[in-house]
Amino acid sequence: SIYRGISLGTSVTTAQWTAISNGTFENLYIGDYWTISSVVWRIMAFDYYLNVGDTNCTTHHVTIVPDTSLYIAQMNDTNIVTGAYAGSKMRTTNLEQAKTTINNAFGSAHILNHRVLLANAVSGAAATGWAWYDSTVELLTEHQVYGARAWGAPANNGYGVASQDGQLPGFALRHDLIHNRENWWLQDVVSATNFAFVRSDGFAYGGNASYSLGVRPAFSIIG
């Protein structure tokens, strides 16, 4: 729970990869960041997914969120939430640009592939079904950002906290990292037409799935 927030340079060093791999995280702190291709990639948690998953995650890792959205995109082409987040066009197609950017910045071999529980069915205004999926890069949940449900429908809680269970320490220690004056998408289903997003003025909100809003995903690196 120590926020340092210093620059770690423009690439991950050999010593830093080793510190991540062996789980000591030596000279790495919450809030520290790398600036790669003009993007600030900030450390938000250590071993967030350790011992999580239907297949156990046993690899030490550092979870990173960029300070700003990488681009804008839609959750779906129309105002539907069918298939929830797992079945959305965002996850099936529109995250590919983010994955390419992240792989280019850190190297695909250094991106944690783990199992995460995601909503994949909706009834009315709430997600009602979920399953385990392979995961590398994902939108954040309301729980990871705010530490609690905000606009996400109550039935979402079962998947929202199951494998993404709690606020990322970086957001807990510096709330201004949540409120970056951008509109950016979150995973949670809000209604029959809306997904959750962080509004530019700091308001937790929900918006039509066809809106083009910021893609500010989370991912984890390994040694």
Side-chain angles (χ1 to χ4, degrees):
S1 296
I2 297 174
Y3 188 97
R4 186 170 68 170
I6 70 166
S7 173
L8 298 172
T10 57
S11 64
V12 184
T13 66
T14 299
Q16 290 165 352
W17 286 128
T18 299
I20 295 168
S21 179
N22 62 26
T24 64
F25 307 116
E26 183 178 359
N27 203 28
L28 299 172
Y29 289 80
I30 299 296
D32 290 356
Y33 60 93
W34 294 273
T35 304
I36 304 172
S37 299
S38 300
V39 177
V40 174
W41 305 97
R42 195 173 298 272
I43 295 175
M44 301 298 277
F46 298 104
D47 279 348
Y48 184 83
Y49 295 103
L50 201 67
N51 294 327
V52 171
D54 57 340
T55 299
N56 191 16
C57 176
T58 59
T59 305
H60 293 296
H61 56 276
V62 171
T63 297
I64 293 173
V65 178
D67 275 8
T68 55
S69 300
L70 301 179
Y71 51 93
I72 63 171
Q74 299 169 300
M75 293 296 290
N76 286 311
D77 290 335
T78 58
N79 295 327
I80 59 172
V81 295
T82 306
Y85 170 66
S88 68
K89 186 173 182 180
M90 173 63 76
R91 189 171 195 270
T92 58
T93 302
N94 292 346
L95 276 178
E96 291 305 310
Q97 182 179 339
K99 292 177 182 179
T100 297
T101 299
I102 290 163
N103 287 340
N104 288 341
F106 294 93
S108 58
H110 289 291
I111 307 304
L112 177 69
N113 190 339
H114 62 108
R115 299 284 283 174
V116 65
L117 196 63
L118 300 175
N120 62 5
V122 175
S123 178
T128 55
W130 44 86
W132 290 100
Y133 293 85
D134 289 335
S135 174
T136 54
V137 177
E138 304 289 355
L139 295 187
L140 291 156
T141 68
E142 287 187 324
H143 284 276
Q144 289 175 312
V145 175
Y146 306 124
R149 177 173 62 86
W151 285 90
N156 293 340
N157 281 352
Y159 84 88
V161 300
S163 63
Q164 301 164 103
D165 53 348
Q167 188 177 30
L168 294 178
F171 288 132
L173 295 170
R174 266 195 59 186
H175 283 194
D176 63 303
L177 292 177
I178 300 173
H179 310 305
N180 65 351
R181 308 308 296 180
E182 296 180 344
N183 300 309
W184 47 285
W185 284 119
L186 302 175
Q187 288 186 24
D188 304 72
V189 171
V190 170
S191 72
T193 59
N194 290 12
F195 284 91
F197 74 93
V198 178
R199 209 167 76 170
S200 61
D201 58 4
F203 189 19
Y205 208 53
N208 288 338
S210 66
Y211 287 170
S212 291
L213 303 179
V215 176
R216 190 186 180 193
F219 63 99
S220 299
I221 58 173
I222 60 178

